[in-house]
Amino acid sequence: FYLHQDLFIRTNHNTTMGKGGQSVQPSSRNEIKSGKDGHWVSPYNPLDPKAPELPSKGEIKAVIPKECFERSYMHSMYFVARDTVMAVGCVYIAHQTLSTDVPTDLLSVDALKWFVGWN
């Protein structure tokens, strides 16, 4: 399977890696298609009769390592504590460095810092 812009697409371009692993080497990986407006266009068209069949949920779950499904209360609480500390730190830094008062002189360095900091 090859993950391309949130889609799993089956390919036949596998090469063997160490310890029996598989590496996907699609030939069209570097090709980026864009539409008329310049936005990315998916090469997958589900209405095309020649479109490759997408894998089922079971097939996707089967290729994910079993360790990813193990639950750990301590590991989860570590992430909660880490994210809380980082959020509190960001709020503290913003409180210490940014002022809520609009600068009186709009052509000053303080006005530039205020504008950049709050936007």
Side-chain angles (χ1 to χ4, degrees):
F1 297 107
Y2 166 63
L3 181 63
H4 181 37
Q5 297 292 342
D6 301 324
L7 292 174
F8 282 92
I9 300 173
R10 291 184 178 167
T11 60
N12 295 325
H13 306 283
N14 293 333
T15 58
T16 307
M17 296 172 47
K19 296 187 180 182
Q22 295 284 323
S23 172
V24 178
Q25 302 288 329
S27 60
S28 64
R29 185 176 217 162
N30 294 330
E31 295 177 18
I32 299 175
K33 297 179 182 179
S34 59
K36 297 175 187 172
D37 56 359
H39 289 84
W40 174 81
V41 176
S42 173
Y44 181 74
N45 180 5
L47 302 176
D48 184 10
K50 297 177 189 172
E53 181 183 327
L54 294 177
S56 68
K57 289 181 185 179
E59 290 174 326
I60 293 171
K61 190 173 180 181
V63 297
I64 298 173
K66 299 296 179 209
E67 305 90 55
C68 295
F69 296 104
E70 293 176 3
R71 296 180 181 189
S72 169
Y73 179 78
M74 293 303 291
H75 204 164
S76 298
M77 287 299 106
Y78 162 74
F79 286 121
V80 168
R82 183 196 66 180
D83 294 348
T84 302
V85 167
M86 289 184 358
V88 168
C90 288
V91 168
Y92 177 77
I93 290 170
H95 178 69
Q96 293 297 317
T97 57
L98 298 175
S99 171
T100 56
D101 300 329
V102 178
T104 55
D105 185 13
L106 296 178
L107 297 175
S108 65
V109 174
D110 287 336
L112 180 64
K113 286 188 339 188
W114 183 85
F115 181 77
V116 170
W118 286 110
N119 289 309

